[in-house]
Every structure is written in C-alpha cells, then in structure tokens.
Amino acid sequence: MTLKEKLMEDLKSAMRSKEKRRKDTITMLRAAVKQREVDERKEMADDEILALIGKQVKQKRESIKDFQKAERVDLVEQAQEEIDILLAYLPEQLTEEEIDELVREAIEQTGATSMRDMGRIMGIVMPKVKGRADGSLISQSAKKLLNQ
C-alpha cells in the first residue's frame, strides 16, 4: 500500500469514527500532496510525500512558538495534536543520542574543527537521517559538539 492509499484509508477511518482533528489534518496533508502534484505535473512518490510531511511538521512547530508568544494555549494544543498525527506517517524519529553519534562520526570523517565546517557535516548527516530528524536538531548537535 502506498502512502497516498494509506492516507485515503486513514481519512475514511477518521470520518467513520468522527475524529475531526485527525480528519482535518489528513485532508490538509492530502491537499498539499495534490497541490504539489498539480504544480509539478507528476505523481509524488512515497519519499517525496514523507519530505512534505516533514516540512509540515516543521511549520507546525514554528507556529507553536508563535502561539506560545501570543499565549494562545488552545492553538498550541491544536498544532501539537496535528504534529502527533503527522508524525505517525514518518519513520521513527531519532533520539538526541543517536543524532549526536551520527554528528560525531561526520566530524571525525571530515576532520571538522570549527563552525566553518558545518556545511560538510550537514552534507554527510542529512542524507542518513532523511525524514527521521529535523535539520535544526542536527545543526544544534553539530554546534554543541564543535564547541566542546
């Protein structure tokens, strides 16, 4: 079953069980997939859909920061629920320790010593964690390890 088929099945399931937030989130995701397919005039593969889901999770996390500044607890909770629903479609996320280990390996491999080497580190680590960790987490880990 492709990811698009799974999304359709989950949408039907959410509609049957009257899970409004889940239905709305999946509908939003399916609309984003359809929009991308129309824009690019091609069928999206599962890995492209996973990248799109990752992008949406990142946007929701940024929105949460804005909602927290505005003290909108209701919107923070809504966005967090949407993130939880979207994360179910992504591969299992890496832990902080796993990310640190991958970054350590990349630092050793490149011989990186300063922040100027950040691009080389990111270039090695990002393909390995595709869909399993946010780039900002990789960046934070690299900064932490380079400054030790």
PDB file of all heavy atoms in Angstrom, residues 98-129:
ATOM      1  N   GLU A  98      21.314   9.406  19.390  1.00  0.00           N
ATOM      2  CA  GLU A  98      21.586   8.862  18.054  1.00  0.00           C
ATOM      3  C   GLU A  98      22.044   9.962  17.108  1.00  0.00           C
ATOM      4  O   GLU A  98      22.965   9.761  16.303  1.00  0.00           O
ATOM      5  CB  GLU A  98      20.330   8.176  17.499  1.00  0.00           C
ATOM      6  CG  GLU A  98      19.949   6.910  18.245  1.00  0.00           C
ATOM      7  CD  GLU A  98      18.592   6.363  17.848  1.00  0.00           C
ATOM      8  OE1 GLU A  98      17.656   7.164  17.606  1.00  0.00           O
ATOM      9  OE2 GLU A  98      18.464   5.132  17.783  1.00  0.00           O
ATOM     10  N   ILE A  99      21.432  11.120  17.214  1.00  0.00           N
ATOM     11  CA  ILE A  99      21.827  12.251  16.377  1.00  0.00           C
ATOM     12  C   ILE A  99      23.253  12.667  16.721  1.00  0.00           C
ATOM     13  O   ILE A  99      24.082  12.884  15.821  1.00  0.00           O
ATOM     14  CB  ILE A  99      20.845  13.441  16.564  1.00  0.00           C
ATOM     15  CG1 ILE A  99      19.475  13.086  15.981  1.00  0.00           C
ATOM     16  CG2 ILE A  99      21.398  14.708  15.912  1.00  0.00           C
ATOM     17  CD1 ILE A  99      18.389  14.067  16.302  1.00  0.00           C
ATOM     18  N   ASP A 100      23.554  12.781  18.018  1.00  0.00           N
ATOM     19  CA  ASP A 100      24.906  13.154  18.444  1.00  0.00           C
ATOM     20  C   ASP A 100      25.938  12.175  17.899  1.00  0.00           C
ATOM     21  O   ASP A 100      27.018  12.576  17.454  1.00  0.00           O
ATOM     22  CB  ASP A 100      25.005  13.220  19.969  1.00  0.00           C
ATOM     23  CG  ASP A 100      24.310  14.439  20.559  1.00  0.00           C
ATOM     24  OD1 ASP A 100      23.947  15.352  19.779  1.00  0.00           O
ATOM     25  OD2 ASP A 100      24.129  14.478  21.789  1.00  0.00           O
ATOM     26  N   GLU A 101      25.618  10.883  17.916  1.00  0.00           N
ATOM     27  CA  GLU A 101      26.555   9.863  17.429  1.00  0.00           C
ATOM     28  C   GLU A 101      26.807  10.033  15.929  1.00  0.00           C
ATOM     29  O   GLU A 101      27.959   9.958  15.472  1.00  0.00           O
ATOM     30  CB  GLU A 101      26.021   8.461  17.731  1.00  0.00           C
ATOM     31  CG  GLU A 101      26.959   7.350  17.335  1.00  0.00           C
ATOM     32  CD  GLU A 101      28.330   7.437  17.992  1.00  0.00           C
ATOM     33  OE1 GLU A 101      28.436   7.887  19.154  1.00  0.00           O
ATOM     34  OE2 GLU A 101      29.310   7.065  17.325  1.00  0.00           O
ATOM     35  N   LEU A 102      25.749  10.270  15.159  1.00  0.00           N
ATOM     36  CA  LEU A 102      25.910  10.479  13.717  1.00  0.00           C
ATOM     37  C   LEU A 102      26.747  11.724  13.435  1.00  0.00           C
ATOM     38  O   LEU A 102      27.602  11.721  12.536  1.00  0.00           O
ATOM     39  CB  LEU A 102      24.543  10.604  13.034  1.00  0.00           C
ATOM     40  CG  LEU A 102      23.746   9.312  12.893  1.00  0.00           C
ATOM     41  CD1 LEU A 102      22.336   9.599  12.421  1.00  0.00           C
ATOM     42  CD2 LEU A 102      24.439   8.364  11.929  1.00  0.00           C
ATOM     43  N   VAL A 103      26.512  12.783  14.201  1.00  0.00           N
ATOM     44  CA  VAL A 103      27.276  14.024  14.016  1.00  0.00           C
ATOM     45  C   VAL A 103      28.738  13.798  14.403  1.00  0.00           C
ATOM     46  O   VAL A 103      29.648  14.263  13.702  1.00  0.00           O
ATOM     47  CB  VAL A 103      26.645  15.184  14.825  1.00  0.00           C
ATOM     48  CG1 VAL A 103      27.548  16.406  14.817  1.00  0.00           C
ATOM     49  CG2 VAL A 103      25.267  15.535  14.261  1.00  0.00           C
ATOM     50  N   ARG A 104      28.977  13.064  15.496  1.00  0.00           N
ATOM     51  CA  ARG A 104      30.360  12.742  15.904  1.00  0.00           C
ATOM     52  C   ARG A 104      31.101  12.009  14.786  1.00  0.00           C
ATOM     53  O   ARG A 104      32.248  12.328  14.476  1.00  0.00           O
ATOM     54  CB  ARG A 104      30.352  11.880  17.166  1.00  0.00           C
ATOM     55  CG  ARG A 104      30.819  12.605  18.391  1.00  0.00           C
ATOM     56  CD  ARG A 104      30.953  11.686  19.610  1.00  0.00           C
ATOM     57  NE  ARG A 104      30.240  12.312  20.703  1.00  0.00           N
ATOM     58  CZ  ARG A 104      29.025  12.000  21.131  1.00  0.00           C
ATOM     59  NH1 ARG A 104      28.371  11.016  20.602  1.00  0.00           N
ATOM     60  NH2 ARG A 104      28.467  12.654  22.118  1.00  0.00           N
ATOM     61  N   GLU A 105      30.425  11.032  14.186  1.00  0.00           N
ATOM     62  CA  GLU A 105      31.023  10.277  13.089  1.00  0.00           C
ATOM     63  C   GLU A 105      31.356  11.195  11.913  1.00  0.00           C
ATOM     64  O   GLU A 105      32.421  11.072  11.301  1.00  0.00           O
ATOM     65  CB  GLU A 105      30.078   9.170  12.620  1.00  0.00           C
ATOM     66  CG  GLU A 105      29.927   8.035  13.605  1.00  0.00           C
ATOM     67  CD  GLU A 105      28.834   7.049  13.198  1.00  0.00           C
ATOM     68  OE1 GLU A 105      28.308   7.154  12.062  1.00  0.00           O
ATOM     69  OE2 GLU A 105      28.509   6.170  14.015  1.00  0.00           O
ATOM     70  N   ALA A 106      30.446  12.117  11.603  1.00  0.00           N
ATOM     71  CA  ALA A 106      30.668  13.038  10.491  1.00  0.00           C
ATOM     72  C   ALA A 106      31.829  13.981  10.794  1.00  0.00           C
ATOM     73  O   ALA A 106      32.626  14.301   9.900  1.00  0.00           O
ATOM     74  CB  ALA A 106      29.401  13.842  10.204  1.00  0.00           C
ATOM     75  N   ILE A 107      31.952  14.415  12.050  1.00  0.00           N
ATOM     76  CA  ILE A 107      33.059  15.298  12.439  1.00  0.00           C
ATOM     77  C   ILE A 107      34.382  14.556  12.280  1.00  0.00           C
ATOM     78  O   ILE A 107      35.352  15.105  11.737  1.00  0.00           O
ATOM     79  CB  ILE A 107      32.869  15.817  13.884  1.00  0.00           C
ATOM     80  CG1 ILE A 107      31.703  16.820  13.927  1.00  0.00           C
ATOM     81  CG2 ILE A 107      34.146  16.453  14.415  1.00  0.00           C
ATOM     82  CD1 ILE A 107      31.294  17.254  15.327  1.00  0.00           C
ATOM     83  N   GLU A 108      34.419  13.312  12.726  1.00  0.00           N
ATOM     84  CA  GLU A 108      35.642  12.513  12.580  1.00  0.00           C
ATOM     85  C   GLU A 108      35.968  12.273  11.108  1.00  0.00           C
ATOM     86  O   GLU A 108      37.123  12.356  10.696  1.00  0.00           O
ATOM     87  CB  GLU A 108      35.489  11.169  13.295  1.00  0.00           C
ATOM     88  CG  GLU A 108      35.489  11.276  14.804  1.00  0.00           C
ATOM     89  CD  GLU A 108      35.168   9.951  15.485  1.00  0.00           C
ATOM     90  OE1 GLU A 108      35.210   8.898  14.810  1.00  0.00           O
ATOM     91  OE2 GLU A 108      34.872   9.976  16.691  1.00  0.00           O
ATOM     92  N   GLN A 109      34.954  11.987  10.333  1.00  0.00           N
ATOM     93  CA  GLN A 109      35.139  11.679   8.913  1.00  0.00           C
ATOM     94  C   GLN A 109      35.668  12.889   8.142  1.00  0.00           C
ATOM     95  O   GLN A 109      36.517  12.729   7.269  1.00  0.00           O
ATOM     96  CB  GLN A 109      33.792  11.230   8.331  1.00  0.00           C
ATOM     97  CG  GLN A 109      33.844  10.702   6.928  1.00  0.00           C
ATOM     98  CD  GLN A 109      32.466  10.206   6.476  1.00  0.00           C
ATOM     99  OE1 GLN A 109      31.544  10.077   7.254  1.00  0.00           O
ATOM    100  NE2 GLN A 109      32.355   9.937   5.190  1.00  0.00           N
ATOM    101  N   THR A 110      35.172  14.085   8.471  1.00  0.00           N
ATOM    102  CA  THR A 110      35.587  15.286   7.748  1.00  0.00           C
ATOM    103  C   THR A 110      36.773  15.982   8.390  1.00  0.00           C
ATOM    104  O   THR A 110      37.375  16.856   7.765  1.00  0.00           O
ATOM    105  CB  THR A 110      34.430  16.308   7.673  1.00  0.00           C
ATOM    106  OG1 THR A 110      34.061  16.687   8.999  1.00  0.00           O
ATOM    107  CG2 THR A 110      33.239  15.747   6.930  1.00  0.00           C
ATOM    108  N   GLY A 111      37.076  15.639   9.627  1.00  0.00           N
ATOM    109  CA  GLY A 111      38.147  16.334  10.337  1.00  0.00           C
ATOM    110  C   GLY A 111      37.732  17.753  10.711  1.00  0.00           C
ATOM    111  O   GLY A 111      38.574  18.644  10.846  1.00  0.00           O
ATOM    112  N   ALA A 112      36.439  17.964  10.882  1.00  0.00           N
ATOM    113  CA  ALA A 112      35.906  19.294  11.199  1.00  0.00           C
ATOM    114  C   ALA A 112      36.415  19.776  12.553  1.00  0.00           C
ATOM    115  O   ALA A 112      36.502  19.003  13.505  1.00  0.00           O
ATOM    116  CB  ALA A 112      34.386  19.260  11.207  1.00  0.00           C
ATOM    117  N   THR A 113      36.749  21.065  12.611  1.00  0.00           N
ATOM    118  CA  THR A 113      37.239  21.638  13.855  1.00  0.00           C
ATOM    119  C   THR A 113      36.500  22.913  14.252  1.00  0.00           C
ATOM    120  O   THR A 113      36.596  23.333  15.396  1.00  0.00           O
ATOM    121  CB  THR A 113      38.742  21.967  13.738  1.00  0.00           C
ATOM    122  OG1 THR A 113      38.931  22.855  12.631  1.00  0.00           O
ATOM    123  CG2 THR A 113      39.565  20.706  13.544  1.00  0.00           C
ATOM    124  N   SER A 114      35.814  23.543  13.310  1.00  0.00           N
ATOM    125  CA  SER A 114      35.151  24.811  13.631  1.00  0.00           C
ATOM    126  C   SER A 114      33.794  24.896  12.941  1.00  0.00           C
ATOM    127  O   SER A 114      33.422  24.027  12.154  1.00  0.00           O
ATOM    128  CB  SER A 114      36.027  25.990  13.184  1.00  0.00           C
ATOM    129  OG  SER A 114      36.056  26.049  11.769  1.00  0.00           O
ATOM    130  N   MET A 115      33.100  25.976  13.225  1.00  0.00           N
ATOM    131  CA  MET A 115      31.776  26.201  12.657  1.00  0.00           C
ATOM    132  C   MET A 115      31.835  26.341  11.131  1.00  0.00           C
ATOM    133  O   MET A 115      30.841  26.140  10.454  1.00  0.00           O
ATOM    134  CB  MET A 115      31.136  27.446  13.273  1.00  0.00           C
ATOM    135  CG  MET A 115      30.823  27.317  14.753  1.00  0.00           C
ATOM    136  SD  MET A 115      29.732  25.939  15.117  1.00  0.00           S
ATOM    137  CE  MET A 115      28.231  26.541  14.418  1.00  0.00           C
ATOM    138  N   ARG A 116      32.989  26.687  10.593  1.00  0.00           N
ATOM    139  CA  ARG A 116      33.120  26.813   9.137  1.00  0.00           C
ATOM    140  C   ARG A 116      32.911  25.470   8.437  1.00  0.00           C
ATOM    141  O   ARG A 116      32.615  25.434   7.254  1.00  0.00           O
ATOM    142  CB  ARG A 116      34.487  27.377   8.766  1.00  0.00           C
ATOM    143  CG  ARG A 116      34.575  28.879   9.010  1.00  0.00           C
ATOM    144  CD  ARG A 116      35.910  29.362   8.589  1.00  0.00           C
ATOM    145  NE  ARG A 116      36.838  28.928   9.643  1.00  0.00           N
ATOM    146  CZ  ARG A 116      38.085  29.316   9.737  1.00  0.00           C
ATOM    147  NH1 ARG A 116      38.601  30.097   8.828  1.00  0.00           N
ATOM    148  NH2 ARG A 116      38.838  28.905  10.730  1.00  0.00           N
ATOM    149  N   ASP A 117      33.083  24.393   9.178  1.00  0.00           N
ATOM    150  CA  ASP A 117      32.935  23.058   8.605  1.00  0.00           C
ATOM    151  C   ASP A 117      31.501  22.530   8.718  1.00  0.00           C
ATOM    152  O   ASP A 117      31.231  21.380   8.359  1.00  0.00           O
ATOM    153  CB  ASP A 117      33.882  22.083   9.320  1.00  0.00           C
ATOM    154  CG  ASP A 117      35.332  22.503   9.194  1.00  0.00           C
ATOM    155  OD1 ASP A 117      35.741  22.889   8.084  1.00  0.00           O
ATOM    156  OD2 ASP A 117      36.051  22.449  10.215  1.00  0.00           O
ATOM    157  N   MET A 118      30.594  23.362   9.202  1.00  0.00           N
ATOM    158  CA  MET A 118      29.208  22.954   9.432  1.00  0.00           C
ATOM    159  C   MET A 118      28.561  22.411   8.154  1.00  0.00           C
ATOM    160  O   MET A 118      27.859  21.390   8.195  1.00  0.00           O
ATOM    161  CB  MET A 118      28.390  24.133   9.959  1.00  0.00           C
ATOM    162  CG  MET A 118      26.947  23.795  10.223  1.00  0.00           C
ATOM    163  SD  MET A 118      26.731  22.744  11.638  1.00  0.00           S
ATOM    164  CE  MET A 118      26.532  23.960  12.880  1.00  0.00           C
ATOM    165  N   GLY A 119      28.792  23.029   7.027  1.00  0.00           N
ATOM    166  CA  GLY A 119      28.189  22.584   5.763  1.00  0.00           C
ATOM    167  C   GLY A 119      28.600  21.169   5.402  1.00  0.00           C
ATOM    168  O   GLY A 119      27.777  20.368   4.938  1.00  0.00           O
ATOM    169  N   ARG A 120      29.857  20.846   5.591  1.00  0.00           N
ATOM    170  CA  ARG A 120      30.342  19.498   5.283  1.00  0.00           C
ATOM    171  C   ARG A 120      29.709  18.467   6.221  1.00  0.00           C
ATOM    172  O   ARG A 120      29.340  17.372   5.798  1.00  0.00           O
ATOM    173  CB  ARG A 120      31.866  19.442   5.370  1.00  0.00           C
ATOM    174  CG  ARG A 120      32.513  20.267   4.281  1.00  0.00           C
ATOM    175  CD  ARG A 120      33.997  20.053   4.101  1.00  0.00           C
ATOM    176  NE  ARG A 120      34.705  19.413   5.179  1.00  0.00           N
ATOM    177  CZ  ARG A 120      35.850  19.852   5.688  1.00  0.00           C
ATOM    178  NH1 ARG A 120      36.407  20.934   5.212  1.00  0.00           N
ATOM    179  NH2 ARG A 120      36.451  19.190   6.662  1.00  0.00           N
ATOM    180  N   ILE A 121      29.600  18.834   7.499  1.00  0.00           N
ATOM    181  CA  ILE A 121      28.977  17.927   8.475  1.00  0.00           C
ATOM    182  C   ILE A 121      27.518  17.689   8.100  1.00  0.00           C
ATOM    183  O   ILE A 121      27.059  16.543   8.055  1.00  0.00           O
ATOM    184  CB  ILE A 121      29.081  18.512   9.905  1.00  0.00           C
ATOM    185  CG1 ILE A 121      30.543  18.586  10.341  1.00  0.00           C
ATOM    186  CG2 ILE A 121      28.255  17.683  10.887  1.00  0.00           C
ATOM    187  CD1 ILE A 121      30.767  19.397  11.597  1.00  0.00           C
ATOM    188  N   MET A 122      26.797  18.760   7.827  1.00  0.00           N
ATOM    189  CA  MET A 122      25.377  18.646   7.474  1.00  0.00           C
ATOM    190  C   MET A 122      25.207  17.824   6.199  1.00  0.00           C
ATOM    191  O   MET A 122      24.282  17.027   6.081  1.00  0.00           O
ATOM    192  CB  MET A 122      24.754  20.036   7.293  1.00  0.00           C
ATOM    193  CG  MET A 122      24.723  20.885   8.550  1.00  0.00           C
ATOM    194  SD  MET A 122      23.694  20.227   9.851  1.00  0.00           S
ATOM    195  CE  MET A 122      22.087  20.624   9.226  1.00  0.00           C
ATOM    196  N   GLY A 123      26.114  18.011   5.243  1.00  0.00           N
ATOM    197  CA  GLY A 123      26.044  17.285   3.983  1.00  0.00           C
ATOM    198  C   GLY A 123      26.182  15.786   4.160  1.00  0.00           C
ATOM    199  O   GLY A 123      25.617  15.000   3.397  1.00  0.00           O
ATOM    200  N   ILE A 124      26.931  15.378   5.161  1.00  0.00           N
ATOM    201  CA  ILE A 124      27.111  13.951   5.423  1.00  0.00           C
ATOM    202  C   ILE A 124      25.944  13.392   6.236  1.00  0.00           C
ATOM    203  O   ILE A 124      25.446  12.302   5.958  1.00  0.00           O
ATOM    204  CB  ILE A 124      28.447  13.702   6.170  1.00  0.00           C
ATOM    205  CG1 ILE A 124      29.609  13.973   5.214  1.00  0.00           C
ATOM    206  CG2 ILE A 124      28.515  12.292   6.723  1.00  0.00           C
ATOM    207  CD1 ILE A 124      30.972  13.944   5.876  1.00  0.00           C
ATOM    208  N   VAL A 125      25.495  14.138   7.242  1.00  0.00           N
ATOM    209  CA  VAL A 125      24.484  13.617   8.165  1.00  0.00           C
ATOM    210  C   VAL A 125      23.067  13.637   7.572  1.00  0.00           C
ATOM    211  O   VAL A 125      22.320  12.663   7.738  1.00  0.00           O
ATOM    212  CB  VAL A 125      24.515  14.393   9.501  1.00  0.00           C
ATOM    213  CG1 VAL A 125      23.404  13.932  10.428  1.00  0.00           C
ATOM    214  CG2 VAL A 125      25.862  14.241  10.178  1.00  0.00           C
ATOM    215  N   MET A 126      22.697  14.694   6.887  1.00  0.00           N
ATOM    216  CA  MET A 126      21.309  14.843   6.430  1.00  0.00           C
ATOM    217  C   MET A 126      20.803  13.684   5.567  1.00  0.00           C
ATOM    218  O   MET A 126      19.682  13.217   5.779  1.00  0.00           O
ATOM    219  CB  MET A 126      21.119  16.190   5.708  1.00  0.00           C
ATOM    220  CG  MET A 126      21.143  17.385   6.653  1.00  0.00           C
ATOM    221  SD  MET A 126      20.021  17.263   8.064  1.00  0.00           S
ATOM    222  CE  MET A 126      18.444  17.420   7.244  1.00  0.00           C
ATOM    223  N   PRO A 127      21.571  13.185   4.605  1.00  0.00           N
ATOM    224  CA  PRO A 127      21.047  12.047   3.832  1.00  0.00           C
ATOM    225  C   PRO A 127      20.810  10.797   4.691  1.00  0.00           C
ATOM    226  O   PRO A 127      19.920   9.998   4.400  1.00  0.00           O
ATOM    227  CB  PRO A 127      22.138  11.775   2.791  1.00  0.00           C
ATOM    228  CG  PRO A 127      22.910  13.037   2.688  1.00  0.00           C
ATOM    229  CD  PRO A 127      22.826  13.676   4.045  1.00  0.00           C
ATOM    230  N   LYS A 128      21.577  10.641   5.756  1.00  0.00           N
ATOM    231  CA  LYS A 128      21.438   9.472   6.628  1.00  0.00           C
ATOM    232  C   LYS A 128      20.178   9.535   7.482  1.00  0.00           C
ATOM    233  O   LYS A 128      19.651   8.503   7.892  1.00  0.00           O
ATOM    234  CB  LYS A 128      22.645   9.342   7.556  1.00  0.00           C
ATOM    235  CG  LYS A 128      23.940   9.014   6.842  1.00  0.00           C
ATOM    236  CD  LYS A 128      25.074   8.929   7.832  1.00  0.00           C
ATOM    237  CE  LYS A 128      26.400   8.663   7.154  1.00  0.00           C
ATOM    238  NZ  LYS A 128      27.512   8.652   8.112  1.00  0.00           N
ATOM    239  N   VAL A 129      19.721  10.745   7.806  1.00  0.00           N
ATOM    240  CA  VAL A 129      18.586  10.899   8.726  1.00  0.00           C
ATOM    241  C   VAL A 129      17.306  11.322   8.018  1.00  0.00           C
ATOM    242  O   VAL A 129      16.333  11.659   8.678  1.00  0.00           O
ATOM    243  CB  VAL A 129      18.905  11.922   9.852  1.00  0.00           C
ATOM    244  CG1 VAL A 129      20.103  11.488  10.643  1.00  0.00           C
ATOM    245  CG2 VAL A 129      19.092  13.319   9.289  1.00  0.00           C
TER     246      VAL A 129
END
